[in-house]
PDB file of all heavy atoms in Angstrom:
ATOM      1  N   GLN A  11      61.499 101.299   3.763  1.00 85.00           N
ATOM      2  CA  GLN A  11      61.774 100.168   3.072  1.00 85.00           C
ATOM      3  C   GLN A  11      62.699  99.205   3.896  1.00 85.00           C
ATOM      4  O   GLN A  11      63.720  99.738   4.508  1.00 85.00           O
ATOM      5  CB  GLN A  11      62.524 100.464   1.722  1.00 85.00           C
ATOM      6  CG  GLN A  11      62.773  99.240   0.878  1.00 85.00           C
ATOM      7  CD  GLN A  11      63.322  99.599  -0.482  1.00 85.00           C
ATOM      8  OE1 GLN A  11      63.724 100.842  -0.763  1.00 85.00           O
ATOM      9  NE2 GLN A  11      63.592  98.660  -1.381  1.00 85.00           N
ATOM     10  N   SER A  12      62.399  98.018   4.021  1.00 81.00           N
ATOM     11  CA  SER A  12      63.129  97.085   4.802  1.00 81.00           C
ATOM     12  C   SER A  12      63.179  95.689   4.205  1.00 81.00           C
ATOM     13  O   SER A  12      62.317  95.309   3.389  1.00 81.00           O
ATOM     14  CB  SER A  12      62.598  96.995   6.303  1.00 81.00           C
ATOM     15  OG  SER A  12      61.252  96.479   6.242  1.00 81.00           O
ATOM     16  N   GLN A  13      64.094  94.907   4.534  1.00 81.00           N
ATOM     17  CA  GLN A  13      64.239  93.516   4.135  1.00 81.00           C
ATOM     18  C   GLN A  13      64.173  92.500   5.254  1.00 81.00           C
ATOM     19  O   GLN A  13      64.651  92.830   6.361  1.00 81.00           O
ATOM     20  CB  GLN A  13      65.560  93.216   3.372  1.00 81.00           C
ATOM     21  CG  GLN A  13      65.770  93.989   2.076  1.00 81.00           C
ATOM     22  CD  GLN A  13      67.040  93.656   1.451  1.00 81.00           C
ATOM     23  OE1 GLN A  13      67.986  93.165   2.090  1.00 81.00           O
ATOM     24  NE2 GLN A  13      67.145  94.086   0.204  1.00 81.00           N
ATOM     25  N   SER A  14      63.386  91.436   5.064  1.00 73.00           N
ATOM     26  CA  SER A  14      63.291  90.403   6.096  1.00 73.00           C
ATOM     27  C   SER A  14      63.086  88.980   5.562  1.00 73.00           C
ATOM     28  O   SER A  14      62.683  88.881   4.365  1.00 73.00           O
ATOM     29  CB  SER A  14      61.986  90.708   7.012  1.00 73.00           C
ATOM     30  OG  SER A  14      60.811  90.731   6.210  1.00 73.00           O
ATOM     31  N   LEU A  15      63.529  88.054   6.210  1.00 69.00           N
ATOM     32  CA  LEU A  15      63.385  86.643   5.779  1.00 69.00           C
ATOM     33  C   LEU A  15      62.093  86.090   6.405  1.00 69.00           C
ATOM     34  O   LEU A  15      62.007  86.006   7.577  1.00 69.00           O
ATOM     35  CB  LEU A  15      64.628  85.897   6.277  1.00 69.00           C
ATOM     36  CG  LEU A  15      64.655  84.377   5.869  1.00 69.00           C
ATOM     37  CD1 LEU A  15      64.612  84.237   4.264  1.00 69.00           C
ATOM     38  CD2 LEU A  15      65.886  83.717   6.435  1.00 69.00           C
ATOM     39  N   VAL A  16      61.249  85.652   5.492  1.00 69.00           N
ATOM     40  CA  VAL A  16      59.989  85.046   5.950  1.00 69.00           C
ATOM     41  C   VAL A  16      59.948  83.564   5.632  1.00 69.00           C
ATOM     42  O   VAL A  16      60.221  83.199   4.495  1.00 69.00           O
ATOM     43  CB  VAL A  16      58.803  85.791   5.326  1.00 69.00           C
ATOM     44  CG1 VAL A  16      57.437  85.242   5.834  1.00 69.00           C
ATOM     45  CG2 VAL A  16      58.814  87.307   5.566  1.00 69.00           C
ATOM     46  N   MET A  17      59.579  82.758   6.608  1.00 68.00           N
ATOM     47  CA  MET A  17      59.521  81.331   6.323  1.00 68.00           C
ATOM     48  C   MET A  17      58.055  81.074   5.782  1.00 68.00           C
ATOM     49  O   MET A  17      57.028  80.865   6.558  1.00 68.00           O
ATOM     50  CB  MET A  17      59.701  80.519   7.654  1.00 68.00           C
ATOM     51  CG  MET A  17      61.159  80.583   8.108  1.00 68.00           C
ATOM     52  SD  MET A  17      62.152  79.498   7.078  1.00 68.00           S
ATOM     53  CE  MET A  17      61.596  77.915   7.539  1.00 68.00           C
ATOM     54  N   THR A  18      57.916  80.939   4.545  1.00 71.00           N
ATOM     55  CA  THR A  18      56.606  80.680   3.919  1.00 71.00           C
ATOM     56  C   THR A  18      56.367  79.148   4.089  1.00 71.00           C
ATOM     57  O   THR A  18      57.257  78.383   4.288  1.00 71.00           O
ATOM     58  CB  THR A  18      56.626  81.068   2.471  1.00 71.00           C
ATOM     59  OG1 THR A  18      57.618  80.293   1.751  1.00 71.00           O
ATOM     60  CG2 THR A  18      56.964  82.516   2.303  1.00 71.00           C
ATOM     61  N   PRO A  19      55.096  78.805   3.948  1.00 73.00           N
ATOM     62  CA  PRO A  19      54.766  77.392   3.993  1.00 73.00           C
ATOM     63  C   PRO A  19      55.517  76.497   2.879  1.00 73.00           C
ATOM     64  O   PRO A  19      55.905  75.435   3.199  1.00 73.00           O
ATOM     65  CB  PRO A  19      53.221  77.342   3.782  1.00 73.00           C
ATOM     66  CG  PRO A  19      52.758  78.608   4.289  1.00 73.00           C
ATOM     67  CD  PRO A  19      53.877  79.650   3.932  1.00 73.00           C
ATOM     68  N   GLN A  20      55.775  77.135   1.780  1.00 70.00           N
ATOM     69  CA  GLN A  20      56.438  76.393   0.717  1.00 70.00           C
ATOM     70  C   GLN A  20      57.890  76.220   1.126  1.00 70.00           C
ATOM     71  O   GLN A  20      58.450  75.111   0.835  1.00 70.00           O
ATOM     72  CB  GLN A  20      56.358  77.220  -0.596  1.00 70.00           C
ATOM     73  CG  GLN A  20      54.944  77.181  -1.243  1.00 70.00           C
ATOM     74  CD  GLN A  20      54.039  78.270  -0.679  1.00 70.00           C
ATOM     75  OE1 GLN A  20      54.484  78.996   0.230  1.00 70.00           O
ATOM     76  NE2 GLN A  20      52.832  78.352  -1.143  1.00 70.00           N
ATOM     77  N   LEU A  21      58.511  77.212   1.674  1.00 75.00           N
ATOM     78  CA  LEU A  21      59.910  77.093   2.133  1.00 75.00           C
ATOM     79  C   LEU A  21      60.005  76.072   3.212  1.00 75.00           C
ATOM     80  O   LEU A  21      60.949  75.197   3.204  1.00 75.00           O
ATOM     81  CB  LEU A  21      60.485  78.398   2.507  1.00 75.00           C
ATOM     82  CG  LEU A  21      61.946  78.442   2.937  1.00 75.00           C
ATOM     83  CD1 LEU A  21      62.798  77.998   1.843  1.00 75.00           C
ATOM     84  CD2 LEU A  21      62.311  79.884   3.454  1.00 75.00           C
ATOM     85  N   MET A  22      59.094  75.985   4.188  1.00 79.00           N
ATOM     86  CA  MET A  22      59.116  75.013   5.150  1.00 79.00           C
ATOM     87  C   MET A  22      58.957  73.585   4.627  1.00 79.00           C
ATOM     88  O   MET A  22      59.573  72.657   5.062  1.00 79.00           O
ATOM     89  CB  MET A  22      58.057  75.347   6.218  1.00 79.00           C
ATOM     90  CG  MET A  22      58.283  76.597   7.026  1.00 79.00           C
ATOM     91  SD  MET A  22      56.952  76.901   8.167  1.00 79.00           S
ATOM     92  CE  MET A  22      57.111  75.555   9.300  1.00 79.00           C
ATOM     93  N   GLN A  23      58.106  73.472   3.583  1.00 74.00           N
ATOM     94  CA  GLN A  23      57.954  72.176   2.918  1.00 74.00           C
ATOM     95  C   GLN A  23      59.214  71.728   2.210  1.00 74.00           C
ATOM     96  O   GLN A  23      59.598  70.571   2.369  1.00 74.00           O
ATOM     97  CB  GLN A  23      56.859  72.252   1.927  1.00 74.00           C
ATOM     98  CG  GLN A  23      56.516  70.953   1.236  1.00 74.00           C
ATOM     99  CD  GLN A  23      55.480  71.148   0.085  1.00 74.00           C
ATOM    100  OE1 GLN A  23      55.811  71.484  -1.011  1.00 74.00           O
ATOM    101  NE2 GLN A  23      54.225  70.929   0.463  1.00 74.00           N
TER     102      GLN A  23
END
Side-chain angles (χ1 to χ4, degrees):
Q11 185 177 6
S12 62
Q13 293 182 346
S14 62
L15 180 62
V16 180
M17 288 287 291
T18 62
Q20 291 84 358
L21 182 59
M22 294 179 62
Q23 182 187 84

